[in-house]
Amino acid sequence: MNAPIVVQVEMNQVWRYAACAEMARFCAGLKQRRIEAMRCGGCARRYLPPRPFCGNCHLRLTEWVPVSHEGVLDAWTVVHLPILDGRTGTTRDAPYGMGLIRLDGADTTINHYLDLNDAGRLAVGLRVRAVWRDRLEGAIDDIRHFEVLP
Ligand SMILES: [Zn+2]
């Protein structure tokens, strides 16, 4: 059996993420420290992050509803490998906590950083709250992370 061929290539890529209209409005809200979900007129499910169509009834979503900056941790993990943040180009120090957060007033979860990275202290069901950056840019990382509440 032949050894695999390894080709090392260094690539510098500049890319832009084109947000849909729903994400554009969502991000504009973040710049005002406002978090909004989209509510389905058919089944009343409230989607966060927003999306154009309901996953249950496939209706077009048009209604925006504000949600709380606090919610519950539905799932979590501690990441032990540093990743390159595609938005900032910086590497996040590991370990760090990540969570699926269901904000009060939403029926779905958003994936975001947590202030804790201790598996002994993280648990499903913990209450969390958004911690905002001082300078807001209208991006998901305007929320620095979610802090676990006592
Ligand atoms: Zn629906």
Side-chain angles (χ1 to χ4, degrees):
M1 182 171 170
N2 294 329
I5 298 172
V6 176
V7 178
Q8 292 189 336
V9 178
E10 184 172 320
M11 299 170 47
N12 291 319
Q13 296 181 325
V14 177
W15 54 276
R16 295 180 184 199
Y17 173 74
C20 64
E22 290 77 15
M23 281 305 290
R25 175 172 165 156
F26 173 73
C27 288
L30 293 176
K31 196 169 184 176
Q32 307 299 317
R33 293 183 194 250
R34 184 180 67 239
I35 306 174
E36 291 181 305
M38 294 194 79
R39 182 182 176 280
C40 176
C43 66
R45 188 178 173 112
R46 290 175 280 190
Y47 288 95
L48 182 71
R51 55 169 59 184
F53 294 94
C54 177
N56 287 338
C57 29
H58 310 288
L59 293 178
R60 181 81 168 99
L61 303 179
T62 59
E63 181 186 352
W64 290 87
V65 291
V67 298
S68 176
H69 294 191
E70 294 185 18
V72 66
L73 189 59
D74 272 2
W76 60 270
T77 190
V78 175
V79 180
H80 291 273
L81 295 173
I83 61 163
L84 184 64
D85 185 327
R87 216 183 92 65
T88 65
T90 61
T91 302
R92 175 170 287 269
D93 291 334
Y96 55 90
M98 294 288 301
L100 291 179
I101 295 140
R102 186 169 32 87
L103 293 177
D104 297 342
D107 295 306
T108 59
T109 59
I110 59 172
N111 182 28
H112 214 298
Y113 299 114
L114 301 170
D115 68 333
L116 294 181
N117 62 7
D118 181 351
R121 294 181 57 201
L122 288 167
V124 169
L126 290 174
R127 298 287 303 170
V128 295
R129 176 176 41 219
V131 175
W132 297 83
R133 293 190 185 283
D134 293 333
R135 188 169 150 255
L136 304 176
E137 298 179 354
I140 191 63
D141 59 358
D142 284 349
I143 300 171
R144 181 186 312 273
H145 58 256
F146 281 83
E147 65 178 340
V148 174
L149 299 175

